[in-house]
Amino acid sequence: SIALLAQRVAGVPTRVVISLHTTVSQVLPRNRRERTVFSLFRRMLPAAPGSMVAVSAGVAEDFLRLTRLPAESVRVIYNPVVTPETPVLAAQPVAHPWFTPGQPPVVLGIGRLTPAKDFPLLLRAFALVHQQREARLVLLGEGEERAALESLAQQLGIASACSLPGFVANPYAYLSRAAVFVLSSNREGLPTALIEALAVGTPVIATDCPSGPREILDHGRYGILSPVGDREALAEAILDTLAHPPAPVPPSAWERFTLSEVSRAYADVLGVTHA
């Protein structure tokens, strides 16, 4: 909104492209002041084709429903998640002892420890898994819910099989060695870790939340989609994946998210020459 206002005040022809990274309906302002700001922002939105970019089709559809702008005003361009360095980083060693050969399989979750990621759901689902077979759970990330998650792990009796190492600089190395990656979110924009898992060949399970997982996994073709908030269904999906690991997905599953593809798309939107 600041960029749009600055453009109008300055009276310059500079092109402004708005990037949409989340399902706006899930984070609509609640107090009067924020609603007023959002209303002003919505009135300033350009309707020209390609004047806005959404990181997923779900984000675009949600935004268009709210604003009633023409569909051609929003173009979907994914985030550049997969780079030439991805396989190099995935091959690097991991210091965590649970990832050494011969250890029980690791269920991996990645993300900020916030309510939107719904890690309590993953903990409860893993507790059901742990009752039936030996496995371990690792959650990479930091956030305000750490203490609550550690307390929940104790209550569920899985603290000895659950590790929260915090933020790590290279999650790819953990992903490439995990038995399965699980996204337990109740909302997303375009979940980066889910794409990273596909790119390094790790089996994936994701809640069918708005938005991104269904789109990334091609309606379940590239991984299991589990109902949001359903711990029994998530536990069943984890058990099935551990018992019957699927083959790595083909490159076509994640090529849409490569740096080269995304760079070409943005060059087209901005009207610049891309080498």
Side-chain angles (χ1 to χ4, degrees):
S1 58
I2 294 175
L4 289 171
L5 183 60
Q7 181 199 38
R8 294 196 176 190
V9 171
V12 295
T14 303
R15 180 123 186 243
V16 175
V17 177
I18 300 166
S19 184
L20 307 168
H21 284 260
T22 191
T23 44
V24 178
S25 64
Q26 302 291 315
V27 292
L28 280 174
R30 297 180 181 179
N31 63 57
R32 183 175 180 181
R33 180 180 178 184
E34 289 179 342
R35 286 197 300 269
T36 301
V37 171
F38 180 77
S39 178
L40 291 172
F41 166 69
R42 185 164 52 183
R43 292 174 192 171
M44 290 191 294
L45 291 173
S51 54
M52 284 166 281
V53 167
V55 296
S56 72
V59 167
E61 291 162 5
D62 177 77
F63 189 74
L64 290 170
R65 279 195 300 270
L66 285 174
T67 60
R68 299 183 180 179
L69 288 166
E72 60 270 18
S73 64
V74 181
R75 176 170 172 176
V76 175
I77 300 179
Y78 298 113
N79 288 332
V81 176
V82 184
T83 72
E85 289 74 35
T86 298
V88 177
L89 293 170
Q92 290 185 359
V94 172
H96 198 294
W98 289 1
F99 290 87
T100 56
Q103 294 295 316
V106 173
V107 178
L108 183 66
I110 301 177
R112 280 192 51 76
L113 308 183
T114 62
K117 297 298 183 182
D118 202 359
F119 285 125
L121 170 67
L122 181 50
L123 286 174
R124 293 187 173 96
F126 180 77
L128 297 177
V129 170
H130 200 248
Q131 291 172 6
Q132 299 190 46
R133 63 162 298 158
E134 190 176 16
R136 286 166 172 167
L137 175 65
V138 174
L139 302 181
L140 301 182
E142 199 52 82
E144 65 268 24
E145 288 208 320
R146 168 177 282 277
L149 292 171
E150 291 173 336
S151 175
L152 179 58
Q154 290 283 353
Q155 294 171 31
L156 295 170
I158 57 172
S160 62
C162 183
S163 174
L164 284 75
F167 172 81
V168 298
N170 179 15
Y172 299 98
Y174 288 78
L175 271 171
S176 65
R177 291 166 175 82
V180 58
F181 169 74
V182 180
L183 181 88
S184 54
S185 302
N186 52 50
R187 65 175 172 85
E188 286 283 351
L190 187 78
T192 298
L194 187 60
I195 301 166
E196 293 169 339
L198 293 178
V200 301
T202 301
V204 298
I205 300 167
T207 47
D208 193 11
C209 67
S211 62
R214 176 167 289 270
E215 193 173 339
I216 293 168
L217 300 183
D218 192 16
H219 303 271
R221 179 183 177 190
Y222 299 130
I224 298 175
L225 289 167
S226 183
V228 175
D230 190 331
R231 66 174 179 175
E232 287 82 9
L234 190 58
E236 183 180 347
I238 294 171
L239 285 167
D240 184 60
T241 302
L242 293 178
H244 309 286
V249 299
S252 56
W254 45 265
E255 284 174 342
R256 300 167 288 167
F257 311 103
T258 58
L259 178 61
S260 57
E261 288 295 319
V262 174
S263 296
R264 276 191 284 270
Y266 268 107
D268 184 51
V269 165
L270 297 172
V272 300
T273 303
H274 182 73

